[in-house]
Amino acid sequence: MKKTLKSICIIIVFLLTTTIKAQNTSINFIQDDLKLTLEKSKSSQKMVFVMVYADWCSHCNKMKSTVLKDPAVITFYNNNFINAMVNYESPAGKEMMKKYKIKSFPVFLFLDENETHLYSTGGEFTNEDFIAEGKKALNPDTQLPFLEKQFNTDSSNAEKCLLYLYPLKKSVDAGKSDEVTSKYLATQNKDQLFTPINWKIMAYGANDLNSTAFEVILKNQSSFAKVSSTKRVEAKIVSVVNKTLAQDMNNLDSISYSKNRIVAKNINLAKIDSLVFKNDLQMFEALKSWKNYQQTTLESVEKWAWNDYSTLNSISKIYVDHITDQEALSKSIYWAKRSVELNNSAENTILLARLYAKIGNKKLAIDNARKAKNIIVAMGWNTKEIDQLYTDLGIK
C-alpha cells in the first residue's frame, strides 16, 4: 500500500512538472482580444504586453521564431505581464493601429489595466535586450507618463528633457519628440543653446522637416558642429529629410511631398539633392507619373546617378516599360551604355538591347542581345529571358 501511494505521488509530481514545463515552452499570448487581455490585467494586477504584427513582416516573424521562444524571455514575460498577440488586420489590430498611430511592425506596447500607454518600442531585439525593454516598462521611473510629468514640471531642465526623449523617440508617440524639443528650446536663449547636451537633445528630438527644432539646426549648423562635429550635424539633417520624404512617399501623399521637397531643396546640400532625386524617382514610380519621372531623370541622372549602375539600371527598366518619347529614349540609351560600362552584366546588356529595339535600331538591339546571351551561357544561367528577347527580335 505504501509503495502504491509512493508511486502515485511520484506520478503526480512527474505530471505536475511536465505540465509546468509545457506551460513554459511559449509566452501565454491572448490572440487578437485586447478586451480580454485588459480584464485579465485587472484581475491579476499585471501590466499588459501587446505585440502588434503583420504576417508579411520579416522582423515580426524573426522575433516570433527566435526571441519569443527563448526560455528566459518566456519566463520573464509570463511572470510579469498579461500578454497579447494582435494581427494588425484583425478588428483589435485595426483599432490599435488607429489609436496608437502605428506605422511599422513589429510594435511592442506596454499598457496598464486602463490601457494607458506606459512604454513602447519596436523592431528586432536580442533576448537580453528584449528582457531589458520589459524591465524598463515595469520601472515607474522609466515609464513615459512619469518622464513626461517630470519634464513638464521643469521644461528648461536639459537632463529631464533628454531622459524623456530617449524612450519617446522609439515609442509609438515618437512624433511628440519635436513638440517636446520645441518646448525645451523656448526656455533657452542663444547663449545657452550650443552645448553638448543640447546637441543630444536636438539629435534625439528634431525629427520633422517642418519643426522648430529642425529649423534651429539649419540656422546654426556651424555652432552645433563646434560641440559635436560637422559630419554629425550634416548626417542629422539628411536623416530628417529622408524620414519626412519617406513618410510622405509611404502615404503616397503627393501634396505634402511636393511641399517638403521644396523645403529640402532649399537646404542647398549636395547629399540632400541626391536624396531628393532618388525619392522623386520612387514617388513618381509609385504614382505612375511617368511624365514627371521622365522630366526628373532628364534633368538629374548625369548629376546624381552617373556612377551608380544600380540606379541607372532601374531607370532603364522604367524607360523600357513606360516611356514613349523618342528623344528621351535616345537619352536613356546613353545612360544604359554607362550602366553596362560600370557593370557589364547580362541584365544591363539586355536592357540596353530592349532600349535599342524600342527606338527601332534593330541592328544594335541584336548585337547587345547576343552579348547578353554569351554572358548567360558562359555563366550557366537560365536562358528563358534572353530566349524571349531573341524571339522578340526575330533572332534565329
Side-chain angles (χ1 to χ4, degrees):
M1 183 68 178
K2 287 182 178 180
K3 284 187 177 180
T4 302
L5 287 171
K6 186 176 180 181
S7 297
I8 292 171
C9 288
I10 291 171
I11 291 169
I12 290 170
V13 169
F14 173 77
L15 289 172
L16 286 171
T17 304
T18 303
T19 302
I20 291 168
K21 285 182 178 178
Q23 289 175 342
N24 288 330
T25 58
S26 64
I27 295 176
N28 301 323
F29 282 115
I30 297 169
Q31 184 67 45
D32 296 329
D33 193 337
L34 188 58
K35 183 178 178 182
L36 176 60
T37 305
L38 292 168
E39 287 173 357
K40 288 197 171 188
S41 172
K42 289 177 182 178
S43 61
S44 66
Q45 295 187 325
K46 285 185 178 181
M47 192 186 297
V48 168
F49 165 69
V50 186
M51 175 179 178
V52 184
Y53 70 96
D55 288 330
W56 45 260
C57 167
S58 59
H59 301 297
C60 305
N61 293 330
K62 186 175 179 182
M63 286 294 292
K64 287 182 185 180
S65 63
T66 57
V67 175
L68 299 184
K69 290 188 179 297
D70 177 74
V73 172
I74 291 167
T75 299
F76 176 80
Y77 278 82
N78 281 341
N79 287 345
N80 292 287
F81 302 100
I82 301 298
N83 304 289
M85 182 83 74
V86 176
N87 188 319
Y88 89 105
E89 292 183 313
S90 69
K94 290 176 181 177
E95 185 179 335
M96 294 192 76
M97 289 285 292
K98 184 177 180 180
K99 180 171 183 176
Y100 295 104
K101 300 177 183 177
I102 295 170
K103 297 174 182 175
S104 60
F105 305 102
V107 162
F108 306 107
L109 284 160
F110 298 87
L111 314 170
D112 68 11
E113 61 183 29
N114 297 313
E115 208 176 346
T116 303
H117 174 212
L118 301 177
Y119 193 86
S120 59
T121 187
E124 290 183 25
F125 293 89
T126 63
N127 302 339
E128 295 78 12
D129 286 344
F130 199 59
I131 290 173
E133 289 297 302
K135 288 179 178 178
K136 290 175 187 174
L138 289 167
N139 184 352
D141 291 342
T142 51
Q143 291 172 355
L144 289 168
F146 170 79
L147 295 172
E148 180 179 21
K149 183 178 179 180
Q150 188 180 44
F151 167 70
N152 285 335
T153 57
D154 185 6
S155 58
S156 67
N157 187 301
E159 287 80 9
K160 290 179 180 179
C161 180
L162 199 54
L163 282 172
Y164 184 27
L165 287 173
Y166 282 144
L168 185 63
K169 187 179 178 182
K170 63 182 179 180
S171 77
V172 292
D173 283 338
K176 289 176 64 176
S177 60
D178 289 282
E179 177 187 330
V180 170
T181 306
S182 296
K183 187 173 181 178
Y184 170 76
L185 288 174
T187 70
Q188 305 294 298
N189 61 50
K190 201 162 186 177
D191 293 335
Q192 298 172 305
L193 192 57
F194 307 114
T195 63
I197 193 169
N198 279 344
W199 170 248
K200 285 184 180 180
I201 288 171
M202 305 303 283
Y204 273 90
N207 295 291
D208 186 88
L209 191 62
N210 300 295
S211 67
T212 300
F214 186 67
E215 185 179 349
V216 169
I217 292 176
L218 283 181
K219 288 181 177 179
N220 299 282
Q221 294 179 52
S222 59
S223 296
F224 280 119
K226 291 176 182 177
V227 295
S228 56
S229 70
T230 301
K231 186 176 180 180
R232 286 178 181 174
V233 173
E234 187 176 282
K236 179 61 185 177
I237 292 170
V238 172
S239 173
V240 172
V241 171
N242 188 41
K243 182 178 180 180
T244 304
L245 295 182
Q247 184 173 311
D248 290 337
M249 192 164 52
N250 290 337
N251 296 331
L252 291 182
D253 188 343
S254 58
I255 295 174
S256 180
Y257 181 84
S258 296
K259 291 178 180 177
N260 287 325
R261 182 187 184 281
I262 292 170
V263 175
K265 291 287 286 183
N266 286 336
I267 294 172
N268 293 319
L269 190 64
K271 287 184 179 179
I272 297 291
D273 291 340
S274 174
L275 182 65
V276 169
F277 167 67
K278 291 186 177 181
N279 276 279
D280 281 349
L281 297 187
Q282 293 180 61
M283 175 60 93
F284 296 143
E285 182 179 355
L287 294 173
K288 302 186 187 303
S289 180
W290 306 124
K291 285 187 178 180
N292 284 327
Y293 190 97
Q294 177 182 308
Q295 182 180 343
T296 297
T297 48
L298 289 173
E299 290 174 353
S300 304
V301 162
E302 288 160 50
K303 187 171 185 179
W304 302 120
W306 193 238
N307 295 312
D308 181 356
Y309 74 84
S310 178
T311 299
L312 291 171
N313 187 32
S314 298
I315 292 168
S316 294
K317 289 179 182 177
I318 295 295
Y319 269 68
V320 166
D321 293 337
H322 302 290
I323 304 300
T324 57
D325 181 85
Q326 288 297 303
E327 188 176 341
L329 284 166
S330 296
K331 190 70 172 177
S332 73
I333 287 173
Y334 180 51
W335 307 331
K337 288 168 71 175
R338 173 62 175 170
S339 180
V340 171
E341 181 184 318
L342 292 170
N343 181 34
N344 187 23
S345 68
E347 181 183 15
N348 292 351
T349 309
I350 286 172
L351 284 168
L352 180 56
R354 290 194 182 281
L355 284 167
Y356 273 124
K358 194 163 183 177
I359 65 167
N361 192 331
K362 191 171 182 180
K363 180 183 181 303
L364 289 177
I366 290 172
D367 287 348
N368 281 281
R370 285 179 171 149
K371 288 177 185 177
K373 186 160 188 177
N374 288 338
I375 296 171
I376 290 168
V377 171
M379 297 301 293
W381 294 336
N382 188 305
T383 62
K384 183 178 179 180
E385 183 180 2
I386 192 65
D387 289 343
Q388 182 59 55
L389 180 56
Y390 263 48
T391 300
D392 295 342
L393 295 173
I395 304 174
K396 295 180 181 180

